[in-house]
Amino acid sequence: QVQLVESGGGLVQAGGSLRLSCAASGRTFRYMGWFRQAPGKERVFVAGISWSGGNAYYADSAKGRFTISRDNARNTVYLQMNSLKPEDTAVYYCAARNDRGTAYHPNAYDYWGQGTQVTVSS
């Protein structure tokens, strides 16, 4: 019933931009977030946003460069990524949770997308 589908990843040069999209189906969620995972590393929080879109949170690595937004009419969350760096290279995952409030650990989320690859070249 529930499905999250990411899109928008690709290969860009350092300093470039990408906009990721996550389309949800089946239901809406109180809180949604973006995580990323590089090969051999843990999955880490990037950004999260509440139902209203009024509360957004960012990892230190993302703050000032990334912007998360939400369009509830389309049941879609976005991640605008600017000034990309090679260390941003990872698979980016959309995640959703039923509970209120910001959560930074992957185990707090109930549903996950399949991931979209972002590669930033030097």
Side-chain angles (χ1 to χ4, degrees):
Q1 181 181 3
V2 173
Q3 187 174 12
L4 306 178
V5 180
E6 303 98 333
S7 62
L11 174 64
V12 297
Q13 296 180 359
S17 298
L18 285 173
R19 190 192 194 204
L20 306 184
S21 298
C22 173
S25 61
R27 58 160 293 173
T28 58
F29 299 93
R30 294 179 181 273
Y31 199 85
M32 299 185 69
W34 288 95
F35 289 74
R36 68 187 184 189
Q37 186 169 21
K41 297 184 178 180
E42 72 278 8
R43 188 172 299 187
V44 298
F45 176 84
V46 177
I49 191 167
S50 64
W51 174 284
S52 68
N55 295 295
Y57 299 89
Y58 300 91
D60 288 342
S61 61
K63 193 171 186 178
R65 299 188 298 126
F66 295 2
T67 303
I68 188 170
S69 61
R70 185 170 187 168
D71 184 349
N72 288 338
R74 302 184 67 86
N75 208 13
T76 300
V77 65
Y78 305 93
L79 185 67
Q80 177 68 45
M81 304 188 294
N82 299 326
S83 302
L84 284 163
K85 306 173 182 179
E87 51 263 44
D88 295 317
T89 296
V91 177
Y92 283 70
Y93 295 92
C94 177
R97 65 193 302 258
N98 294 316
D99 293 340
R100 280 194 184 95
T102 306
Y104 303 99
H105 198 281
N107 289 348
Y109 289 79
D110 302 297
Y111 304 99
W112 294 87
Q114 83 287 354
T116 185
Q117 177 71 46
V118 171
T119 303
V120 184
S121 63
S122 300

